Amino acid sequence: MLKLLGDRPLGARDAPVVERVLTSDPVAMCMVAARFESHGINPRLLGGELWTTDDPTSSLCFSGANLIPLLGSPGDMEGFADRASSAPRVCSSIVGRAEMVLPFWERIAPCWGPAREIRDSQPLMALTDAPAVAPDPLVRLVTLEDLDAYLPAAIDMFIGEVGVDPCAGDGGRSYRRRLASLITAQRVFARFDRGEVVFKAEIGSLSRKVGQIQGVWVAPDRRGEGFGARGTAAVAAAIIAHGRIPSLYVNSFNHTARAVYRQVGFSEVGTFATVLVD
């Protein structure tokens, strides 16, 4: 019987258990841990529900704009899929450790499929020491005054990575607000050259233990000049300076990016998978 964490008032007995689970695998669970640490377990504030098939110490799943299986056996993934299929879909992607995402998708595909894209092998990487590459001293925090100059690079990266235009639908107002929020939180970095972005990256999720880097991009006409490695090293160094582990995940077919991250000193600590659904 599937029990829903969030369909009843959650007190002190629930939150510490969930917190222990989220800290047991801090790199892989960073996206949910960051939300939980900021907003607690209330679904409205958390931005989604936490599910378990029995006990959160053995099975846990986050269901929001992203559906993120966090812990459990293939049988638990089937249970989560059955729960997800019982209501209208709210997520646009399923992401997490491949050994959980893929069984979940196999179960729910007849209901939610076909997928727009399945990325079944995404190395999950972490940096446990200082960057092996000297950080670019010209990479800096982006300010709100930079937003107009930053936006074209962010849109180009998003289309290339996700395959959809973030400006579709509302002319980019929602995407602009999201970037402005990240900038205000001091989680957006870039190197500018004559007012244009040469390198960019963001800290997409920031928990107490981990900073997850996303949106790494180098201007097409400046690739091959080392901006990716030195820029990523600068962002990683900023995360380390705040006492956290830099992490990221990358598509297995992106050999150039994987080589850059290895050059910086990142090593593989697992494999993610992402299923993009329409």
Side-chain angles (χ1 to χ4, degrees):
M1 184 68 151
L2 187 75
K3 181 174 63 179
L4 223 174
L5 288 182
D7 66 346
R8 59 180 175 81
L10 297 173
R13 65 178 184 176
D14 301 295
V17 173
V18 171
E19 183 174 15
R20 285 198 299 273
V21 172
L22 294 176
T23 57
S24 68
D25 190 4
V27 173
M29 298 186 183
C30 173
M31 287 182 281
V32 177
R35 287 176 171 271
F36 176 83
E37 291 164 5
S38 296
H39 303 295
I41 207 166
N42 182 285
R44 182 177 62 83
L45 299 175
L46 186 64
E49 298 173 330
L50 284 168
W51 302 339
T52 181
T53 59
D54 179 38
D55 181 336
T57 62
S58 61
S59 66
L60 194 64
C61 180
F62 173 79
S63 175
N66 298 311
L67 191 142
I68 307 173
L70 297 162
L71 183 67
S73 67
D76 293 318
M77 298 307 114
E78 291 186 5
F80 292 143
D82 291 344
R83 169 66 181 87
S85 65
S86 69
R89 176 172 61 82
V90 297
C91 70
S92 59
S93 68
I94 307 157
V95 61
R97 286 194 176 273
E99 61 265 31
M100 288 177 274
V101 167
L102 298 178
F104 177 93
W105 176 248
E106 182 178 4
R107 177 75 172 196
I108 207 167
C111 177
W112 283 5
R116 178 161 58 83
E117 186 176 355
I118 299 176
R119 301 174 180 179
D120 59 3
S121 180
Q122 298 174 300
L124 176 65
M125 309 183 80
L127 182 64
T128 56
D129 207 342
V133 172
D136 186 340
L138 296 182
V139 169
R140 62 170 176 84
L141 286 169
V142 173
T143 68
L144 290 175
E145 288 72 24
D146 299 316
L147 182 53
D148 286 337
Y150 183 82
L151 190 59
I155 292 171
D156 186 73
M157 177 282 305
F158 193 97
I159 293 173
E161 177 65 22
V162 183
V164 297
D165 185 348
C167 298
D170 66 355
R173 290 187 295 274
S174 297
Y175 188 57
R176 187 183 178 93
R177 283 195 300 269
R178 180 179 178 279
L179 287 176
S181 177
L182 283 175
I183 289 170
T184 301
Q186 297 190 322
R187 285 162 48 182
V188 181
F189 296 79
R191 172 173 173 155
F192 292 86
D193 186 2
R194 300 177 184 177
E196 295 186 352
V197 176
V198 173
F199 165 88
K200 66 163 288 292
E202 300 149 9
I203 303 174
S205 296
L206 188 66
S207 71
R208 295 189 190 114
K209 293 189 174 184
V210 177
Q212 187 179 86
I213 301 170
Q214 67 176 28
V216 178
W217 179 92
V218 176
D221 62 340
R222 303 300 299 272
R223 292 172 186 174
E225 298 181 38
F227 290 119
R230 296 195 302 271
T232 302
V235 179
I239 293 170
I240 292 170
H242 287 86
R244 293 173 170 92
I245 299 169
S247 175
L248 51 83
Y249 60 100
V250 58
N251 292 317
S252 60
F253 55 78
N254 194 339
H255 299 292
T256 299
R258 293 176 66 183
V260 166
Y261 300 143
R262 286 195 297 268
Q263 181 184 355
V264 175
F266 284 85
S267 59
E268 295 185 21
V269 295
T271 302
F272 262 25
T274 300
V275 179
L276 302 174
V277 289
D278 288 320

